[in-house]
Amino acid sequence: IGGTWHKNTYPGVSCDTPAPAYSIQGVPANWSGERPSGGEIRQYLEDTATTHGLMKHIRFNTDVEQAVWDENAKAWKVATLEKTKKRSEVGEFRSVISAVGQLNVPKVPPYEGLSAFRGEVFHTAEWDHGVSLKGKRVGMVGAGPSALQVAPFIAEEAKELVLIQRSVPYVVSHLYEKWSEEKQELHRKDPSKLEDIRAAQFAEMEEMYPAMFLGEANTLMAEEIKTSMRAALPPSLHAQAIPDYPVATKRMGFSPKVFTPEGVESNVYFETLKRPNVDLLRGSVVRVEPDGVRVATKMEEKDQFLDLDVLIMATGFHSTKFVHPMQVVGARGESLDEAWNGVPRGFYGMMMPHFPNFYMVYGPGTNLGQNTVLYNIESS
């Protein structure tokens, strides 16, 4: 249970969206604060499944390998594999609903020489807790939320951390409130308080909608964020850390707000970038070599070689392969991937022609740039 919150266990894993807004409507949780850990979110989902009697309907450790529409039977033939006993089975169903999510299948770029690297390599979604980073030279590729969340923890332990980012993110400092025992008790006694907070947070985030499109609002938001980034970061990091593309064209980053000893507003990620054992390289991996990686940076004409002990991939997920790795074959005998032909789409993100009684929750076009995706999932 838990999807991406079951998959991701890296240090510092959490959700950028404040917890009340990330809750299921009508199913409040006694959150410890606005930014609970991934483990706390997973526990919420497990508790929800238990409370509502869902556990008895779930077949665990089972992969859906294929769903094929049988025109004669007017039904879906669904092939599954129970992974513990390696037992295959085919079931017949009138309808199939895909609720597999988008952030559960790690994407690792096919870098030249990756298999020859002598050190440890793993993806943030497959964090190897058996690998100690103490005293190690660590390189991390990627600039998404996972990278921003885990970097402070790596920097505390590693001898050296090099962040390799092809495109640096807009990073917003957000004040996530931690709730006292008294406030948590208030929420337990009156869950409507959390529903009110949820509605208020949704409305506040929805105000960003006009800035999701190129235009005046977008330009103003970009300048506001970059101004705050320049104020929080030393001039030596401006060229490396401040983005040069329109905001909202890539996923923004959020980091807990803190204040420097001088009283300047900053955040946990920016303070990590200032550490003497942390370096930010704005560039791309050219290839991986046995003792490190070679990076082409925007600041240097020649490739730069990084001597590393550990290489961590914060390179995201196969987020546009909406039913990956299942194969779904419709009434015309073509798979969903073939029907999409590289452009995933669907009626309200939920249905496709010639795939009868096949529905998608969190399908193509249902992601939100300004608000919680749970709203669209619930609307489905």
Side-chain angles (χ1 to χ4, degrees), residues 214-230:
L214 295 178
E216 184 180 358
N218 180 276
T219 301
L220 287 173
M221 185 167 76
E223 284 307 312
E224 182 179 336
I225 297 173
K226 287 194 281 190
T227 297
S228 68
M229 293 178 71
R230 292 188 191 101

Side-chain angles (χ1 to χ4, degrees), residues 118-342:
R118 294 194 184 100
E120 303 287 348
V121 182
F122 52 87
H123 192 281
T124 50
E126 298 171 329
W127 193 268
D128 191 338
H129 293 276
V131 175
S132 172
L133 303 181
K134 189 173 180 60
K136 302 286 182 65
R137 296 163 299 182
V138 180
M140 182 164 63
V141 184
S146 299
L148 271 60
Q149 291 172 9
V150 76
F153 294 87
I154 299 174
E156 287 284 348
E157 189 175 354
K159 175 183 178 182
E160 180 183 354
L161 170 62
V162 182
L163 302 172
I164 306 165
Q165 299 180 354
R166 181 179 57 190
S167 179
V168 296
Y170 281 86
V171 181
V172 177
S173 302
H174 190 90
L175 184 60
Y176 294 95
E177 184 181 353
K178 292 183 179 180
W179 289 329
S180 65
E181 286 293 333
E182 291 77 13
K183 183 166 283 192
Q184 292 180 48
E185 181 63 23
L186 177 63
H187 295 161
R188 276 193 291 268
K189 290 180 177 178
D190 186 1
S192 68
K193 298 291 185 184
L194 278 173
E195 288 294 326
D196 291 343
I197 296 173
R198 181 184 193 269
Q201 289 175 342
F202 179 89
E204 181 182 353
M205 290 187 289
E206 199 65 8
E207 291 178 358
M208 290 196 300
Y209 183 71
M212 296 297 106
F213 302 90
L214 295 178
E216 184 180 358
N218 180 276
T219 301
L220 287 173
M221 185 167 76
E223 284 307 312
E224 182 179 336
I225 297 173
K226 287 194 281 190
T227 297
S228 68
M229 293 178 71
R230 292 188 191 101
L233 293 167
S236 59
L237 281 172
H238 287 184
Q240 291 281 54
I242 296 177
D244 54 5
Y245 57 88
V247 69
T249 53
K250 296 177 182 289
R251 187 168 176 177
M252 290 188 292
F254 294 83
S255 186
K257 183 184 294 186
V258 297
F259 289 90
T260 68
E262 296 76 29
V264 177
E265 182 181 299
S266 183
N267 61 55
V268 173
Y269 176 67
F270 289 165
E271 294 306 296
T272 299
L273 293 184
K274 298 175 187 178
R275 291 176 61 106
N277 66 327
V278 175
D279 194 12
L280 172 61
L281 287 184
R282 194 168 178 175
S284 302
V285 174
V286 176
R287 64 179 176 274
V288 181
E289 299 182 7
D291 296 315
V293 298
R294 195 163 293 279
V295 179
T297 71
K298 292 186 176 181
M299 314 303 287
E300 303 287 342
E301 291 185 6
K302 295 179 64 177
D303 295 346
Q304 185 172 344
F305 179 74
L306 304 176
D307 197 352
L308 300 175
D309 303 305
V310 180
L311 181 60
I312 299 173
M313 302 293 184
T315 45
F317 302 86
H318 289 284
S319 58
T320 58
K321 295 184 177 180
F322 290 91
V323 295
H324 189 81
M326 295 185 296
Q327 184 182 39
V328 179
V329 180
R332 289 182 168 182
E334 64 179 354
S335 71
L336 196 54
D337 284 338
E338 290 170 337
W340 281 336
N341 192 27

